[in-house]
Amino acid sequence: MPAGGFVVGDGQKAYPGKLTPFVLFTCVVAAMGGLIFGYDIGISGGVTSMPSFLKRFFPSVYRKQQEDASTNQYCQYDSPTLTMFTSSLYLAALISSLVASTVTRKFGRRLSMLFGGILFCAGALINGFAKHVWMLIVGRILLGFGIGFANQAVPLYLSEMAPYKYRGALNIGFQLSITIGILVAEVLNYFFAKIKGGWGWRLSLGGAVVPALIITIGSLVLPDTPNSMIERGQHEEAKTKLRRIRGVDDVSQEFDDLVAASKESQSIEHPWRNLLRRKYRPHLTMAVMIPFFQQLTGINVIMFYAPVLFNTIGFTTDASLMSAVVTGSVNVAATLVSIYGVDRWGRRFLFLEGGTQMLICQAVVAACIGAKFGVDGTPGELPKWYAIVVVTFICIYVAGFAWSWGPLGWLVPSEIFPLEIRSAAQSITVSVNMIFTFIIAQIFLTMLCHLKFGLFLVFAFFVVVMSIFVYIFLPETKGIPIEEMGQVWRSHWYWSRFVEDGEYGNALEMGKSSNQAGTKHV
């Protein structure tokens, strides 16, 4: 067979290659980077619903929860110090993701993952041994630094290693790890809360060392991606690695396109400034809007504060932690559905179906909570059927998120950026994600106190807006090689005015033309 890829009937290039055991192993190990993020999301809400933890570090919240039965249920957790404990991590992740961009670009994706694991490990140890609130917050900041590095590097690593036909499923391994981390944390919270003596929260917080060690050790044994190796001038090693990853001897077309993309990348002295150029308008828009909307689905309200939320709507501490385990299990199962369907049904279908499902559930949950709590937050005795209805619809909502905005919020940005802006643009994605996670975590308990059940309607409104945005502006990226992604913008009814033919990826186009003789049409 002549050197080169195939061009199928619609002009879309298809590189030769298959899903090898080697690439499957590397992607599974790399995806474990999501465990640290997921474990933290799951552990935070759990420990903040444990009375022994609240009594030691947040006594005002403990008194409102335990001693004052007349407290408005919507407002019992409204504490600036408590929300700072939860949300300080995300401000730190915002800052570190910007630093991680330079590390990822100049030294490779693996080093960013290594830094992420080490920093997260240090933060977990400080939190596990904390004696004062300031130690908790310092530990959370170190955890945030670790998450910023890991979340910047892992989605890029997965998108670059995966064969384009399986890129969606393998990249969603990151989100699957996040959901597994959440579930493991919620199960541990449930059992650690039962430890006599009230020190189970130390095991919950200190247990974060385990996922931190997994990504730290994993980053030491993983190979770097061919894209990153070429970007750093290691061409021969990159070609050898690409052959092993793809499982075929003939990788010259894909390799030449990667080299051409790297040359264009190296001609860019200031990738951050370059992001503002007109031809990158669609990429910058998606880098900002997708993580912005992902946080405004309201999912982190559910996952951060699931035990707190269930406790607020009348569950006991035990029951609220168990309900959080149920939602965590649904989260994992629904993410597996996304892995199955993302390369079959496409990104747009999952975005729109998930949005519709979340919208219906948020309206029902708002109605249920509003009917029982009213505006004064005093529900009286809650019947069992009511609790079952609320948990059921929250689970259906979580499922809708877990096979749409959850995984796709990380997948789509990581696969649409050309190499010359990839690290910088991914940092924008992580930064926007973290800053809005920080804002929502910081104001959620206050908003719940003041907006009451109307808070769910606020998030429902944003689900409508984001679904319309996806329907109008997001092109389908299923089955398109990562270095060929320019074609989706050139053929889009709106974005084509910014990305003209010949303007996008000139070096890549030259790389293609030099290999035209080796390209076969089918």
Side-chain angles (χ1 to χ4, degrees):
M1 185 181 72
F6 294 89
V7 177
V8 294
D10 61 359
Q12 176 180 311
K13 185 172 289 187
Y15 298 126
K18 52 193 177 184
L19 183 60
T20 63
F22 175 71
V23 78
L24 187 61
F25 170 77
T26 57
C27 287
V28 168
V29 173
M32 293 296 176
L35 285 175
I36 62 175
F37 191 27
Y39 187 87
D40 180 79
I41 291 173
I43 223 71
S44 301
V47 296
T48 53
S49 71
M50 293 182 187
S52 58
F53 178 80
L54 292 174
K55 186 176 183 179
R56 182 182 183 99
F57 295 105
F58 307 100
S60 63
V61 176
Y62 176 78
R63 283 193 299 272
K64 279 195 287 185
Q65 183 197 55
Q66 301 291 323
E67 297 164 12
D68 186 359
S70 65
T71 298
N72 184 325
Q73 292 291 297
Y74 290 122
C75 300
Q76 64 173 328
Y77 287 96
D78 185 17
S79 161
T81 315
L82 182 60
T83 51
M84 178 55 71
F85 162 72
T86 301
S87 57
S88 56
L89 177 147
Y90 301 97
L91 200 57
L94 160 68
I95 296 167
S96 69
S97 67
L98 301 177
V99 177
S101 167
T102 302
V103 175
T104 303
R105 179 180 169 92
K106 292 190 175 180
F107 303 105
R109 285 55 169 148
R110 291 170 61 234
L111 193 62
S112 280
M113 287 190 266
L114 178 62
F115 284 168
I118 292 171
L119 288 165
F120 197 87
C121 191
L125 289 172
I126 292 174
N127 274 351
F129 291 105
K131 294 184 180 298
H132 307 283
V133 172
W134 69 263
M135 290 181 71
L136 285 178
I137 293 176
V138 168
R140 295 285 293 171
I141 289 171
L142 287 174
L143 294 175
F145 287 153
I147 285 173
F149 273 97
N151 284 14
Q152 204 278 342
V154 172
L156 288 186
Y157 185 94
L158 294 171
S159 286
E160 291 178 348
M161 287 292 281
Y164 72 94
K165 289 183 288 188
Y166 306 102
R167 186 178 62 243
L170 290 175
N171 191 288
I172 289 174
F174 177 67
Q175 178 68 17
L176 179 63
S177 287
I178 292 176
T179 63
I180 291 172
I182 292 170
L183 177 59
V184 168
E186 288 167 341
V187 171
L188 291 177
N189 278 337
Y190 179 74
F191 288 105
F192 290 158
K194 296 176 178 294
I195 292 177
K196 292 180 179 178
W199 52 273
W201 61 267
R202 291 194 183 276
L203 295 178
S204 290
L205 294 177
V209 168
V210 176
L213 289 176
I214 291 174
I215 187 59
T216 302
I217 296 169
S219 65
L220 294 174
V221 301
L222 289 175
D224 223 332
T225 67
N227 312 59
S228 177
M229 295 167 77
I230 291 170
E231 202 171 15
R232 290 175 286 131
Q234 302 169 6
H235 287 207
E236 286 307 311
E237 298 95 323
K239 193 165 190 177
T240 302
K241 190 65 66 181
L242 189 60
R243 287 196 188 102
R244 188 178 181 195
I245 290 168
R246 297 294 178 249
V248 296
D249 291 329
D250 182 13
V251 294
S252 39
Q253 179 68 57
E254 182 175 5
F255 178 77
D256 290 342
D257 284 354
L258 290 176
V259 171
S262 177
K263 287 179 180 175
E264 180 162 343
S265 172
Q266 289 167 1
S267 70
I268 306 299
E269 292 183 16
H270 305 288
W272 290 98
R273 193 184 308 162
N274 205 52
L275 270 171
L276 300 176
R277 292 178 61 183
R278 178 181 171 85
K279 68 176 180 176
Y280 298 125
R281 195 73 51 80
H283 311 81
L284 184 60
T285 301
M286 296 302 163
V288 172
M289 297 308 294
I290 288 178
F292 168 73
F293 282 138
Q294 186 192 46
Q295 294 311 306
L296 288 174
T297 58
I299 186 63
N300 278 344
V301 168
I302 299 296
M303 302 317 292
F304 280 160
Y305 297 109
V308 170
L309 186 64
F310 288 129
N311 197 269
T312 295
I313 58 178
F315 291 63
T316 64
T317 300
D318 254 16
S320 66
L321 287 172
M322 195 64 234
S323 300
V325 171
V326 172
T327 57
S329 302
V330 170
N331 199 10
V332 173
T335 304
L336 292 172
V337 172
S338 187
I339 288 175
Y340 173 82
V342 68
D343 291 317
R344 290 175 172 84
W345 310 324
R347 282 65 161 155
R348 282 169 53 85
F349 171 81
L350 288 174
F351 266 130
L352 296 172
E353 191 285 330
T356 303
Q357 190 169 320
M358 288 189 291
L359 175 64
I360 293 169
C361 291
Q362 283 167 325
V364 172
V365 169
C368 286
I369 295 177
K372 292 300 291 183
F373 285 77
V375 293
D376 61 358
T378 52
E381 193 68 29
L382 291 172
K384 187 174 181 181
W385 66 264
Y386 167 86
I388 292 171
V389 168
V390 171
V391 172
T392 298
F393 275 95
I394 284 179
C395 284
I396 297 171
Y397 162 82
V398 168
F401 176 85
W403 60 52
S404 63
W405 280 90
L408 300 181
W410 295 106
L411 165 63
V412 173
S414 74
E415 68 183 358
I416 63 174
F417 305 134
L419 187 62
E420 62 268 22
I421 62 166
R422 191 168 296 156
S423 290
Q426 180 67 11
S427 285
I428 294 289
T429 297
V430 176
S431 297
V432 172
N433 188 297
M434 293 304 159
I435 196 167
F436 281 98
T437 305
F438 170 80
I439 291 170
I440 289 172
Q442 192 67 27
I443 66 175
F444 162 66
L445 293 173
T446 302
M447 288 176 69
L448 181 63
C449 182
H450 291 87
L451 296 179
K452 305 173 175 61
F453 62 88
L455 179 60
F456 291 92
L457 298 179
V458 172
F459 289 125
F461 166 76
F462 280 108
V463 169
V464 172
V465 173
M466 67 184 70
S467 297
I468 293 171
F469 174 83
V470 166
Y471 183 78
I472 295 174
F473 293 112
L474 183 68
E476 183 56 67
T477 55
K478 178 186 75 171
I480 299 173
I482 194 169
E483 303 301 350
E484 295 282 313
M485 202 60 72
Q487 65 180 287
V488 304
W489 308 113
R490 287 194 293 267
S491 60
H492 190 268
W493 72 272
Y494 180 75
W495 299 121
S496 57
R497 70 192 69 185
F498 299 99
V499 183
E500 303 293 342
D501 282 330
E503 183 185 17
Y504 182 103
N506 291 324
L508 188 53
E509 294 298 325
M510 289 190 292
K512 291 182 208 168
S513 62
S514 68
N515 289 286
Q516 196 66 37
T519 305
K520 183 186 290 184
H521 292 263
V522 292

